[in-house]
Amino acid sequence: MDSEQVRAHWRNWASKFGTALGATTRTETAKTLEIDALARRMCMIGLGDMPAHVLEVGCGNGLNCFGLAAQFPRMQFHGIDYTAEMIDAAREAATANGFRDRSSFRIGNALELSKTPGLLAQYDVVFTDRCLINIAPVDLQMRAITGLAAKVRKGGHLIMIENSMATYDRQNHCRALLDLPARTPAAFNLFFDETRILPHLETLGLEVEIEDFISLHDLMLYVLAPAINGGTVDYDHPLVHAATRLNIAVSAETSSAFGAFGQGRMFVCRKP
Ligand SMILES: C[S@@+](CC[C@H](N)C(=O)[O-])C[C@H]1O[C@@H](n2cnc3c(N)ncnc32)[C@H](O)[C@@H]1O
């Protein structure tokens, strides 16, 4: 898909699903794990009780911002997305959820942050969640990351939950071990090539830690449950729900406890 087709895809999903989860993912359990990982990290970096300013780039219909706003009453959220229909849905949901005073949503492109009016010069946290994988080629992903990092204050964090080819390949290896065919990324996605992205983060002077927050869930959803039900990915399988609960409970005690097998990883980058 070229970049216009990718945009059209998100316009379609936003128009079809509006404020519902389906606008941005098929997997409710993965969304639960993403918000849990972000919230846990906010506490780990000392912002749990702080009046912090947080920017989500590629915010979709705002579910991450609302999930975090509910847990961190002193935080202020800005969300931008290049899909106008997503921003309309986020604004509608902000009103419906009672978060209008602590969240605001604007149309903006991850590749042109400086052209988005109304943003702060810098934030305590800038984060993405499956946004940058919609940008291709990898040089443009890196350009976007440079722009995101510039919006982070010294001592602040850029947090990216993005899909990685490295862990996706490991997950596919597990499928092969159980005689399942490899899955392929959606046509509108370019998963992170860590051999390019990680050195780029280093050139930006960022201190990087990677958390694998979703491995148990993804192994259950994409490998183990399909292995016993004819290859079907069943988003509502009871074991996927149980794996989600266990993944969250263990993550609270031990980071990345289940290895690096999720298609998403959390890249936590501190600006020294
Ligand atoms: C998979 S959805 C994720 C939405 C949200 N981050 C979440 O986790 O619920 C990807 C979002 O990124 C947005 N997006 C993709 N490329 C973008 C870009 N260059 N600038 C801003 N938004 C972008 C899409 O419009 C879509 O809303």
Side-chain angles (χ1 to χ4, degrees):
M1 280 190 187
D2 64 29
S3 59
E4 279 315 306
Q5 290 171 312
V6 176
R7 270 178 183 250
H9 163 80
W10 291 116
R11 268 200 305 273
N12 288 343
W13 277 30
S15 303
K16 191 167 168 191
F17 294 102
T19 59
L21 177 83
T24 58
T25 180
R26 290 200 196 109
T27 321
E28 187 176 1
T29 46
K31 173 52 68 202
T32 302
L33 280 153
E34 289 168 355
I35 293 175
D36 177 69
L38 289 167
R40 210 164 8 82
R41 191 55 61 161
M42 294 294 186
C43 294
M44 284 168 76
I45 61 181
L47 297 182
D49 198 24
M50 302 292 282
H53 291 275
V54 177
L55 169 67
E56 179 177 7
V57 176
C59 63
N61 57 7
L63 289 182
N64 295 323
C65 291
F66 304 134
L68 293 170
Q71 296 183 55
F72 301 106
R74 299 188 72 200
M75 278 184 192
Q76 297 278 343
F77 295 88
H78 285 172
I80 70 160
D81 198 289
Y82 72 1
T83 304
E85 293 83 348
M86 290 285 186
I87 294 301
D88 290 343
R91 287 175 177 159
E92 184 188 330
T95 303
N97 294 334
F99 290 127
R100 261 188 69 177
D101 55 333
R102 287 196 294 122
S103 64
S104 72
F105 297 94
R106 298 176 171 80
I107 298 171
N109 193 324
L111 288 162
E112 297 175 329
L113 281 190
S114 57
K115 290 192 186 161
T116 307
L119 296 184
L120 303 180
Q122 294 203 308
Y123 290 83
D124 299 293
V125 173
V126 175
F127 78 91
T128 66
D129 185 355
R130 289 172 294 111
C131 168
L132 302 177
I133 54 170
N134 296 286
I135 297 173
V138 66
D139 299 272
L140 273 190
Q141 288 180 337
M142 294 194 296
R143 200 175 97 193
I145 289 171
T146 303
L148 299 180
K151 279 281 177 199
V152 177
R153 69 159 168 82
K154 276 187 189 161
H157 289 78
L158 168 63
I159 300 177
M160 299 177 289
I161 293 182
E162 297 289 341
N163 295 357
S164 157
M165 214 54 231
T167 46
Y168 193 69
D169 284 347
R170 268 184 226 128
Q171 190 186 102
N172 267 333
H173 178 62
C174 292
R175 284 176 61 92
L177 292 173
L178 297 190
D179 301 319
L180 293 164
R183 296 170 61 243
T184 49
F188 50 88
N189 284 163
L190 176 65
F191 287 7
F192 268 12
D193 174 352
E194 293 184 22
T195 66
R196 303 281 309 280
I197 298 291
L198 294 180
H200 182 62
L201 297 175
E202 205 172 311
T203 64
L204 295 174
L206 299 168
E207 298 166 354
V208 182
E209 179 195 335
I210 301 177
E211 181 183 337
D212 288 297
F213 66 96
I214 199 165
S215 292
L216 178 66
H217 168 274
D218 278 10
L219 284 173
M220 188 59 74
L221 176 63
Y222 297 119
V223 182
L224 292 166
I228 58 165
N229 69 4
T232 304
V233 173
D234 177 358
Y235 296 104
D236 256 333
H237 196 289
L239 280 172
V240 172
H241 287 280
T244 304
R245 285 173 45 218
L246 184 60
N247 213 146
I248 287 174
V250 173
S251 293
E253 298 171 348
T254 311
S255 192
S256 304
F258 298 105
F261 297 98
Q263 58 187 39
R265 310 186 91 183
M266 184 161 71
F267 300 84
V268 181
C269 311
R270 183 176 175 276
K271 193 186 250 192

